[in-house]
Amino acid sequence: MTEPVDLTNLRSMTDGDAELEKSLFEEFFLSFEKELVGLEHSTGEDSVPSWHARSHALKGISLNLGAQKLGELCKTAQDEENAPAAFKSDLLKKITDEYAVVKRFLQDIIAKS
């Protein structure tokens, strides 16, 4: 099984500094959760610009960290900005579920450091 986050790039930038990584993980949690709340409120057909902006931000936040699967789900959300609300709700659940996997993975790293 592959890890939910590839930390190779991040670790090359932080030189393995555990405190810096912890700080970056905490910033990831805050940023992702803020945008996720906004995405949750943007599933309606009248909220296409907000859905697009939020999913684009989530995609960038995820891919910059190395959370490829999460980033791909967010890219799908961005690309499907005009999808029906039911589709967006299902995709939002997948994003939320994958975020929980990523968060647990990163919290385990924090706990071990």
Side-chain angles (χ1 to χ4, degrees), residues 9-112:
N9 190 43
L10 180 109
R11 290 211 163 129
S12 71
M13 291 186 296
T14 65
D15 283 332
D17 182 332
E19 284 304 310
L20 180 55
E21 287 179 11
K22 179 182 174 185
S23 176
L24 291 171
F25 296 163
E26 293 295 336
E27 184 59 36
F28 168 76
F29 300 149
L30 290 172
S31 298
F32 197 94
E33 290 168 14
K34 176 185 171 210
E35 293 298 331
L36 188 59
V37 168
L39 192 66
E40 290 170 353
H41 296 296
S42 302
T43 58
E45 293 168 14
D46 59 339
S47 300
V48 169
S50 179
W51 176 270
H52 180 84
R54 303 287 183 170
S55 57
H56 178 77
L58 290 169
K59 176 187 76 173
I61 293 166
S62 301
L63 294 177
N64 283 334
L65 178 70
Q68 190 66 34
K69 182 176 178 182
L70 184 58
E72 289 299 321
L73 287 168
C74 296
K75 182 184 181 322
T76 299
Q78 177 185 319
D79 293 345
E80 297 293 336
E81 64 185 17
N82 292 308
F87 179 88
K88 288 179 177 178
S89 291
D90 288 344
L91 188 53
L92 182 61
K93 175 156 180 16
K94 290 176 185 175
I95 291 169
T96 302
D97 290 348
E98 183 61 20
Y99 172 67
V101 170
V102 168
K103 187 173 183 178
R104 257 191 322 276
F105 175 78
L106 297 175
Q107 287 174 326
D108 286 347
I109 291 172
I110 291 170
K112 292 175 185 174

